[in-house]
Amino acid sequence: MSARRVRGRLKRDAAERGTMAVANRRQRPRRLACWALVAVVLADLLALSDTVAVMSVDLGSESMKVAIVKPGVPMEIVLNKESRRKTPVTVTLKENERFFGDTAAGMAIKNPKATLRYFQHLLGKQADNPHVALYRARFPEHELQFDPQRQTVHFRISPQLQFSPEEVLGMVLNYSRSLAEDFAEQPIKDAVITVPAFFNQAERRAVLQAARMAGLKVLQLINDNTATALSYGVFRRKDINTTAQNIMFYDMGSGSTVCTIVTYQTVKTKEAGMQPQLQIRGVGFDRTLGGLEMELRLREHLAGLFNEQRKGQRTKDVRENPRAMAKLLREANRLKTVLSANADHMAQIEGLMDDLDFKAKVTRAEFEELCADLFERVPGPVRQALQSAEMSLDEIEQVILVGGATRVPKVQEVLLKAVGKEELGKNINADEAAAMGAVYQAAALSKAFKVKPFVIRDAVVYPILVEFTREVEEEPGVRSLKHNKRVLFSRMGPYPQRKVITFNRYSHDFDFHVNYGDLGFLGPEDLRVFGSQNLTTVKLKGVGDSFKKYPDYESKGIKAHFNLDESGVLSLDRVESVFETLVEDSPEEESTLTKLGNTISSLFGGGSTADTKENGTDTVQEEEEGPAEGGKDEPGEQVELKEEAEAPVEGTTQPPLTEPKGDTAPEAEKPAAEENGDKSEAQTSEKGDLGPKGAPPSPEEEKKQKPARKQRMVEEIGVELVVLDLPDLPADELARSVQKLEDLTLRDLEKQEREKAANSLEAFIFETQDKLYQPEYQEVSTEKEREEIAGKLSAASTWLEDDGFAATTAMLKDKLAELRKLCLGLFFRVEERKKWPERLSALDSLLNHSSIFLKGARLLPEMDQIFTEVEMTTLEKVINETWAWKNATVAEQAKLPATEKPVLLSKDIEAKMMALDREVQYLLNKAKFAKPRPRPKDKNGTRAEPPLSASASDQGEKVIPPAGQTEDAEPISEPEKVETGSEPADTEPLELGGPGAEPEQEQQPAGQKRKNDEL
């Protein structure tokens, strides 16, 4: 090869290398970016794995139960700091500290004004609500002040401490989260919270605001009766079949009573096939019937008895003393529980008032007489539930008791008589069922867990309707206003679901109202407690402008999209003005490709032109208008033609559910919904438009209509909402409340940290002072050293008693670190001497076993030896060095005084043991996986036994013939077939050995084969 060619090739190679280097440099940033992206994704996954736990809070009037689900812990009730499964919903607020749970309940007697209980009764209530007056009467020690901004009340404990009921509830929810996080040992943010089924919109929004203040992400507000029914069904999934089972749950808690009728059966779902379902069929309730009212009656009775005992002593009424009344209420609670199992009991309180003790006997008959009017109200919720479900008692299979107040014998007696059953069901945990059902729902809603599906169809307790006014022309030239009502969500209709209502006769801005429907099932007192029956006024802006924007389009009405979500909270998602027109396409001018493109576009819901995009509007695909969103309308609601809600769906009174709740229309059905949904909404009663029985058009008409296609445009309408029932907190107020609660939480954490530091310092001082007099510590220390340590400890104890209350957390930690550093040498010497016997014994044992192993390895014959000489020599060297180090170090340690720093250290012993064990384990692993060496041939020329890996065909040929036959008389058919090649071509041969194995064996003499068989 010439030099010129060599130089040319070198240049080309250099250029190629340069090009590759440039490409690598260009790809390097991309690779770095990809690795960075992978790192971020892994970090996110790790963060998600740390926070996959979810929780539930069963928020009762008197106490709460918290449950969690985390990997490895399925549905567990959280224990509080006192190791109890339920925690009082009580908060004590002082200037510099807060108390929760049992601690706060104990503080109620010492400081009743600062201890807040049963504050949930004030959620969502305005100042003129009867429940606010009832709360003042029950707990006169609390000062409730009027909030002029929201027309509500708030607690005033001191000029600096003023909190709304939502803020107090936020503190309790934050405390419940801390309990759950301590139990789960990981942070938790997702939660499902139970609320009473009778909570209205204002009360539910108040609970959501409280959770927002606590920093919780609420997956759902679930009704406590629904959570109880879910817990009952989950643990009895196998008993649910296609036959409907009607179960009544009677829940009497501390503050209220709710009766629920639930239907269980299996239904077919699109996603998971046949699955169990619970449907709420009927709900009845009494807001004030519960255990608290019974305890208040007992408290009043005990107060009267105490006043009678002190008659003539010229002392004030015990009812005027808040602390005495708090003691009486606690005793009444205990007395109610004891009288549920005993005919009478002695109530006694030490130092009730003015250092006077109280003691009185109360019988169950007296208790039942005090609460006679309450027991008469027990059947009321049952009648309401049956009426709302349109069922009779004969259709109810079982009545199950829930709630603590159902343990009162008189309640069970009256209820059993009212339902006419043989017995009442008590096969459910009355205290924890709601918490367990709620946490199951939390796991189902969380993306971190996969649970067996259980379909839930909750029911709307309070109907919601839309009201609007429009001008009508009854006579020529005479116009009048007509008031219209349309039911949006009917009573006992299922939720969550979406509804769309269409206004067809408006071309200008207008208003409409969202209010509660017929509340005739509530009594007069319940209506006063319920509050405002008007929810929201919706003011629309931009309706006229939308008509001006599309003058050539046909209006399909103003569509308002409503959503009643899983929490039972109503919201207006959006309001749209929808227009439609026919776009004429000339068949002669269209090419084949254009026709194909239009066909594909129509199949996938297309049809918007370039002009549509330029105008800033999109083609409407109203996924909310599918049949799954409709609800059961009341009779006569389809009289009006234009303003009716969406197309109806399955009746809510029927148990089966064939479609999942809240789902939208499938993608394949969206084009049909676009073209025909509006027609079915706006023209519900105009059946003549489709012809008799909805006959389709003739083929000739269809051909004429083919060139024209519908194009729909949508314009967003501005919405102004005026809340009428109870205004939510403004954004700035909510932010201040969140910050206030965060500051209180931070202050509590700092206080706990300081208390922990002070307790650690005090415990270290006392423990070390005691250790200085123990023999094992005196043996390794001098008198001077002990005196120095004792003096420092005494000075620190004096400082802690005199100035410790003003010391900061950092000062306490510094003082503790100083003392630990002073005692470090003494503690080290003691700990080393404690470890020596165990460590030295383990080292001796390991050395002995290693020596025995080495001897056994050297005794192996050369044929079976699996270790090399270098390996055995290395092990022997390590053994000898370890023996030598141990003997020398122990001897040197024996010469040192006990007060000096030891040279024999436990960590050194462990290091020697690890080094020796590593060598031994290496040889053991080698022996474990070693294969035996092949055997040499015998002197007579016979081959050794085949190894274990020999082929099956080799071993199969060595057959000893039976007696009376020679080897030659026994034909071997299969090898002959193989040799002659007479095996059929379509049969695949079975390869058993190497290419030379079979010929070698077949050529062996018969005598040699006989000898091998005998061997």
Side-chain angles (χ1 to χ4, degrees):
M1 185 180 294
S2 64
R4 183 177 299 173
R5 292 182 179 180
V6 171
R7 286 194 298 269
R9 177 172 295 181
L10 290 176
K11 290 181 179 179
R12 286 196 299 272
D13 292 343
E16 291 177 359
R17 286 195 298 269
T19 303
M20 293 176 61
V22 171
N24 289 335
R25 284 196 299 270
R26 291 176 178 175
Q27 292 178 1
R28 191 174 301 165
R30 299 178 184 176
R31 293 175 181 173
L32 292 176
C34 292
W35 281 113
L37 180 61
V38 170
V40 171
V41 172
L42 290 176
D44 291 341
L45 291 176
L46 291 175
L48 287 175
S49 64
D50 293 339
T51 59
V52 295
V54 293
M55 63 178 287
S56 70
V57 184
D58 178 20
L59 200 61
S61 297
E62 182 180 7
S63 60
M64 66 178 178
K65 277 74 64 180
V66 182
I68 65 164
V69 170
K70 76 170 188 176
V73 182
M75 297 175 62
E76 181 66 26
I77 295 292
V78 173
L79 303 181
N80 60 15
K81 296 179 180 179
E82 290 78 18
S83 298
R84 297 181 59 187
R85 298 173 73 85
K86 67 179 181 178
T87 305
V89 184
T90 309
V91 185
T92 299
L93 299 169
K94 292 187 175 182
E95 294 295 337
N96 297 319
E97 55 188 348
R98 293 184 302 175
F99 300 98
F100 296 94
D102 294 290
T103 306
M107 296 288 294
I109 297 175
K110 299 179 181 179
N111 195 347
K113 182 180 179 181
T115 303
L116 308 179
R117 296 177 291 177
Y118 303 101
F119 48 83
Q120 304 97 307
H121 299 169
L122 302 177
L123 290 172
K125 306 290 192 309
Q126 293 187 342
D128 58 351
N129 194 289
H131 263 201
V132 177
L134 181 63
Y135 190 89
R136 283 195 173 102
R138 287 175 170 178
F139 307 101
E141 64 271 14
H142 296 315
E143 183 180 354
L144 297 178
Q145 283 196 341
F146 178 69
D147 182 3
Q149 184 178 4
R150 302 179 64 214
Q151 306 296 313
T152 58
V153 294
H154 61 264
F155 294 98
R156 186 180 187 275
I157 301 171
S158 68
Q160 291 76 27
L161 297 178
Q162 299 184 23
F163 300 97
S164 65
E166 290 84 356
E167 291 174 339
V168 180
L169 180 58
M171 299 179 195
V172 173
L173 292 176
N174 191 30
Y175 176 70
S176 68
R177 181 176 65 173
S178 67
L179 294 178
E181 290 177 344
D182 293 342
F183 193 83
E185 299 178 345
Q186 60 177 278
I188 299 178
K189 287 187 177 181
D190 298 341
V192 170
I193 304 174
T194 68
V195 294
F198 53 78
F199 263 23
N200 56 26
Q201 294 292 313
E203 292 167 315
R204 292 175 186 271
R205 294 200 307 270
V207 175
L208 290 176
Q209 285 185 343
R212 198 173 296 116
M213 295 176 187
L216 280 176
K217 178 185 176 183
V218 180
L219 300 176
Q220 180 181 348
L221 291 182
I222 187 171
N223 294 335
D224 47 13
N225 58 345
T226 306
T228 302
L230 178 59
S231 175
Y232 181 84
V234 164
F235 291 105
R236 292 162 181 81
R237 178 184 290 267
K238 295 181 180 179
D239 300 334
I240 303 175
N241 49 42
T242 55
T243 303
Q245 306 174 36
N246 300 320
I247 307 295
M248 176 182 288
F249 294 92
Y250 192 87
D251 182 4
M252 181 181 286
S254 176
S256 60
T257 300
V258 178
C259 180
T260 310
I261 299 175
V262 183
T263 298
Y264 294 96
Q265 68 179 140
T266 56
V267 296
K268 187 175 182 180
T269 62
K270 291 183 178 179
E271 291 81 4
M274 296 297 293
Q275 295 297 336
Q277 170 194 273
L278 71 87
Q279 180 180 359
I280 305 298
R281 302 292 300 280
V283 177
F285 57 88
D286 191 328
R287 282 179 175 262
T288 57
L289 177 61
L292 174 61
E293 187 62 29
M294 301 178 191
E295 295 168 13
L296 294 173
R297 300 282 181 92
L298 267 178
R299 182 184 71 168
E300 190 67 21
H301 177 65
L302 296 178
L305 293 178
F306 181 73
N307 287 336
E308 288 181 3
Q309 292 178 4
R310 301 173 61 248
K311 187 178 296 183
Q313 299 182 12
R314 294 183 179 180
T315 55
K316 64 180 182 180
D317 190 351
V318 69
R319 298 179 181 87
E320 299 176 3
N321 190 321
R323 291 188 178 181
M325 292 301 287
K327 293 179 182 179
L328 286 174
L329 183 60
R330 184 177 66 177
E331 183 63 15
N333 181 284
R334 187 185 70 87
L335 198 60
K336 183 196 70 173
T337 303
V338 174
L339 288 178
S340 297
N342 300 274
D344 55 62
H345 188 66
M346 189 67 66
Q348 49 187 359
I349 303 174
E350 294 183 3
L352 177 57
M353 190 175 69
D354 298 336
D355 295 331
L356 294 177
D357 298 338
F358 170 65
K359 190 174 184 180
K361 183 179 181 180
V362 181
T363 64
R364 183 189 291 179
E366 293 176 344
F367 170 65
E368 293 177 354
E369 184 180 355
L370 290 171
C371 304
D373 60 324
L374 299 180
F375 297 138
E376 292 176 358
R377 292 159 54 185
V378 168
V382 176
R383 290 192 294 266
Q384 291 183 23
L386 290 172
Q387 183 180 2
S388 61
E390 298 178 357
M391 300 172 66
S392 63
L393 281 171
D394 297 335
E395 302 176 62
I396 305 300
E397 297 184 9
Q398 191 178 11
V399 179
I400 298 177
L401 297 179
V402 188
T406 56
R407 298 187 178 97
V408 177
K410 189 64 175 179
V411 172
Q412 298 182 15
E413 177 186 342
V414 175
L415 180 61
L416 186 62
K417 183 179 179 181
V419 298
K421 302 294 180 182
E422 294 182 0
E423 60 179 357
L424 299 174
K426 302 177 183 178
N427 52 351
I428 193 172
N429 191 323
D431 290 329
E432 300 176 358
M436 299 298 282
V439 80
Y440 186 90
Q441 182 69 359
L445 295 175
S446 173
K447 297 180 180 179
F449 301 95
K450 185 177 181 181
V451 300
K452 293 183 178 179
F454 205 109
V455 183
I456 301 175
R457 297 191 75 193
D458 214 328
V460 179
V461 178
Y462 306 116
I464 298 175
L465 53 80
V466 173
E467 299 185 27
F468 55 94
T469 304
R470 71 180 182 199
E471 288 187 354
V472 294
E473 188 174 355
E474 298 178 354
E475 298 179 3
V478 179
R479 288 186 170 271
S480 61
L481 295 178
K482 183 178 180 181
H483 191 70
N484 297 274
K485 294 183 179 181
R486 295 292 177 268
V487 174
L488 198 59
F489 299 98
S490 59
R491 174 164 163 77
M492 303 314 300
Y495 78 89
Q497 65 172 324
R498 298 173 182 270
K499 286 288 188 68
V500 181
I501 186 167
T502 304
F503 304 92
N504 282 332
R505 300 187 179 180
Y506 288 95
S507 58
H508 53 83
D509 297 351
F510 66 99
D511 303 343
F512 63 91
H513 310 278
V514 182
N515 302 324
Y516 289 105
D518 183 16
L519 301 179
F521 58 92
L522 298 178
E525 185 63 26
D526 289 334
L527 281 176
R528 292 184 58 207
V529 173
F530 186 83
S532 173
Q533 298 185 31
N534 300 321
L535 286 172
T536 309
T537 296
V538 182
K539 299 181 179 180
L540 302 183
K541 298 180 180 180
V543 177
D545 296 339
S546 66
F547 277 82
K548 295 177 182 178
K549 190 172 183 180
Y550 302 100
D552 300 331
Y553 283 66
E554 178 187 359
S555 173
K556 289 299 180 179
I558 311 300
K559 296 181 181 294
H561 297 255
F562 292 92
N563 178 26
L564 192 64
D565 61 14
E566 293 84 355
S567 300
V569 178
L570 177 67
S571 61
L572 177 61
D573 288 345
R574 65 188 184 277
V575 179
E576 300 170 339
S577 181
V578 180
F579 300 91
E580 186 177 289
T581 187
L582 291 177
V583 179
E584 294 291 340
D585 291 334
S586 176
E588 292 78 7
E589 297 177 0
E590 288 182 345
S591 64
T592 305
L593 292 177
T594 307
K595 292 179 181 180
L596 182 60
N598 291 338
T599 305
I600 296 175
S601 300
S602 64
L603 287 176
F604 289 93
S608 59
T609 61
D611 297 337
T612 306
K613 301 299 180 181
E614 292 176 2
N615 293 334
T617 58
D618 296 327
T619 302
V620 180
Q621 293 189 4
E622 299 183 26
E623 65 278 6
E624 293 83 6
E625 297 183 25
E629 299 166 356
K632 172 185 168 186
D633 295 329
E634 294 182 359
E637 282 301 315
Q638 295 184 357
V639 175
E640 297 292 333
L641 304 181
K642 301 296 184 181
E643 291 80 17
E644 184 55 63
E646 277 301 288
V649 294
E650 303 174 3
T652 57
T653 58
Q654 296 299 324
L657 177 64
T658 57
E659 295 186 5
K661 55 184 175 61
D663 286 352
T664 58
E667 290 294 334
E669 297 176 5
K670 286 183 181 179
E674 289 178 10
E675 295 183 4
N676 302 326
D678 209 61
K679 186 174 182 179
S680 63
E681 291 170 12
Q683 302 177 4
T684 306
S685 63
E686 296 178 6
K687 299 179 180 179
D689 296 344
L690 295 177
K693 299 183 181 180
S698 62
E700 291 78 6
E701 295 177 353
E702 187 176 359
K703 286 183 179 180
K704 294 179 181 178
Q705 294 176 359
K706 270 187 178 180
R709 55 187 176 87
K710 293 182 180 180
Q711 180 180 359
R712 301 184 65 186
M713 315 295 289
V714 60
E715 185 75 14
E716 195 79 16
I717 302 299
V719 176
E720 180 185 352
L721 299 179
V722 180
V723 180
L724 302 177
D725 55 347
L726 184 68
D728 293 337
L729 279 174
D732 55 344
E733 289 289 335
L734 181 61
R736 276 197 290 268
S737 297
V738 171
Q739 188 62 42
K740 185 193 301 186
L741 266 60
E742 289 180 354
D743 293 343
L744 292 174
T745 303
L746 182 61
R747 187 192 67 183
D748 292 344
L749 293 176
E750 292 175 351
K751 178 175 175 291
Q752 294 174 7
E753 188 71 17
R754 186 194 175 282
E755 291 177 351
K756 183 179 179 180
N759 293 336
S760 299
L761 176 60
E762 187 177 11
F764 182 83
I765 292 173
F766 290 153
E767 290 175 2
T768 308
Q769 286 176 340
D770 181 63
K771 289 176 180 178
L772 292 179
Y773 295 96
Q774 296 178 7
E776 56 184 356
Y777 286 88
Q778 291 182 348
E779 180 184 357
V780 298
S781 61
T782 62
E783 185 69 24
K784 180 180 179 182
E785 184 180 7
R786 291 196 297 272
E787 289 180 356
E788 180 184 2
I789 294 176
K792 293 285 186 179
L793 292 175
S794 179
S797 178
T798 303
W799 173 83
L800 187 61
E801 293 177 359
D802 297 341
D803 303 328
F805 66 92
T808 62
T809 305
M811 294 171 63
L812 294 171
K813 289 183 177 181
D814 292 343
K815 183 68 69 174
L816 178 60
E818 179 184 350
L819 294 178
R820 282 179 173 169
K821 184 178 180 181
L822 179 65
C823 304
L824 182 63
L826 173 62
F827 292 164
F828 178 75
R829 293 192 293 271
V830 174
E831 289 298 320
E832 286 296 321
R833 286 183 173 272
K834 287 181 180 180
K835 295 178 182 178
W836 282 347
E838 181 183 357
R839 298 292 193 277
L840 290 175
S841 175
L843 180 60
D844 291 340
S845 176
L846 182 60
L847 285 169
N848 292 331
H849 285 85
S850 302
S851 301
I852 295 173
F853 172 76
L854 181 61
K855 282 184 179 180
R858 289 191 180 279
L859 291 177
L860 288 176
E862 183 179 357
M863 177 64 65
D864 299 330
Q865 184 59 261
I866 57 178
F867 305 120
T868 64
E869 184 64 28
V870 176
E871 292 170 344
M872 291 187 288
T873 304
T874 302
L875 177 60
E876 183 178 11
K877 180 181 178 182
V878 173
I879 293 174
N880 294 335
E881 290 178 352
T882 305
W883 275 116
W885 174 86
K886 182 238 180 187
N887 295 332
T889 308
V890 170
E892 184 180 358
Q893 179 62 45
K895 298 177 183 178
L896 288 177
T899 57
E900 296 291 335
K901 182 179 179 180
V903 295
L904 180 61
L905 303 179
S906 59
K907 65 177 184 178
D908 294 340
I909 300 175
E910 292 173 357
K912 293 293 181 180
M913 291 175 63
M914 289 178 61
L916 179 57
D917 184 68
R918 183 169 56 251
E919 294 296 331
V920 175
Q921 288 298 328
Y922 171 76
L923 297 182
L924 288 175
N925 290 334
K926 184 177 181 181
K928 182 178 179 181
F929 298 103
K931 295 182 180 180
R933 296 181 180 179
R935 301 277 184 178
K937 292 185 178 181
D938 295 341
K939 294 181 180 180
N940 56 5
T942 61
R943 200 175 63 164
E945 288 292 331
L948 296 177
S949 61
S951 63
S953 63
D954 296 346
Q955 299 178 7
E957 291 179 358
K958 299 177 182 180
V959 179
I960 300 176
Q965 293 185 6
T966 62
E967 294 84 355
D968 298 336
E970 179 70 19
I972 303 177
S973 58
E974 290 188 7
E976 291 176 0
K977 290 181 181 179
V978 173
E979 291 175 5
T980 59
S982 60
E983 187 169 345
D986 58 346
T987 304
E988 183 179 355
L990 184 64
E991 298 180 359
L992 296 176
E998 291 184 1
E1000 182 181 356
Q1001 191 160 350
E1002 290 170 0
Q1003 294 174 5
Q1004 289 182 355
Q1008 185 68 39
K1009 181 179 179 182
R1010 174 74 178 183
K1011 189 172 183 179
N1012 290 341
D1013 291 342
E1014 290 177 353
L1015 289 175

